[in-house]
């Protein structure tokens, strides 16, 4: 059984900010989240992957560099879905590492699983 001053369900941007703010005030804090969702939807399936895909396409096609290097400039002749997936996964992994380090630096316990309210003062972690 754990005992914390604040237990945050989900490590998305709001959960991170709440946990860190409480930790900086000297509270004992933990975040409950699924192993594959550290950082929430923003990092794993939303903003970061979509922006990464967009920027990878712009970079690999040379579109953003054509003003400087000419209209035929390309970084790669053949761009595959694998290229885009690898770049996206790399960025997600780096962002997840940043979040994990930030939580550790602020002494926030990360509990892997899902949580639900058992009563007004208790949460079950499944």
């Amino acid at each position: 059984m754990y005992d914390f001053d604040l237990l945050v369900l989900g490590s998305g941007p709001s959960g991170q900010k709440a946990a860190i703010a409480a930790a900086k005030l000297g509270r004992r804090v933990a975040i409950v989240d699924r192993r594959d969702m550290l950082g929430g939807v923003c990092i794993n399936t939303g903003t970061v992957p979509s922006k990464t895909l967009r920027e990878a396409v712009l970079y690999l096609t040379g579109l953003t560099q054509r003003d400087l290097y000419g209209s035929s400039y390309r970084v790669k002749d053949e761009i595959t879905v694998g290229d885009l997936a690898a770049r996206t996964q790399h960025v997600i992994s780096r962002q997840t590492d940043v979040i994990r380090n930030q939580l550790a630096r602020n002494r926030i316990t990360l509990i892997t699983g899902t949580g639900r309210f058992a009563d007004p003062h208790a949460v079950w972690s499944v």
Side-chain angles (χ1 to χ4, degrees):
M1 179 192 270
Y2 298 103
D3 184 30
F4 297 101
D5 297 317
L6 176 67
L7 183 69
V8 178
L9 299 179
S11 62
S14 296
Q16 289 174 45
K17 302 256 184 318
I20 290 168
K24 287 184 185 287
L25 292 171
R27 303 295 190 258
R28 292 169 297 155
V29 182
I31 293 179
V32 176
D33 210 344
R34 295 182 302 224
R35 180 179 312 280
D36 61 341
M37 285 300 287
L38 186 62
V41 171
C42 174
I43 298 293
N44 293 282
T45 60
T47 306
V48 170
S50 65
K51 300 278 186 191
T52 301
L53 284 172
R54 178 182 176 275
E55 291 302 314
V57 168
L58 290 174
Y59 173 73
L60 291 171
T61 60
L63 192 62
T64 55
Q65 290 86 15
R66 286 188 181 159
D67 286 342
L68 186 60
Y69 297 111
S71 62
S72 63
Y73 178 80
R74 287 180 72 90
V75 174
K76 224 178 157 184
D77 288 332
E78 294 290 324
I79 301 169
T80 66
V81 172
D83 295 331
L84 299 175
R87 178 66 183 153
T88 301
Q89 196 52 49
H90 173 75
V91 170
I92 290 171
S93 176
R94 294 288 301 265
Q95 290 296 313
T96 301
D97 289 344
V98 167
I99 293 167
R100 195 177 308 280
N101 291 335
Q102 187 178 39
L103 296 178
R105 205 171 44 247
N106 286 284
R107 297 173 310 282
I108 297 169
T109 303
L110 183 59
I111 301 170
T112 301
T114 57
R116 67 170 196 221
F117 291 98
D119 62 49
H121 301 285
V123 175
W124 289 101
S125 179
V126 183

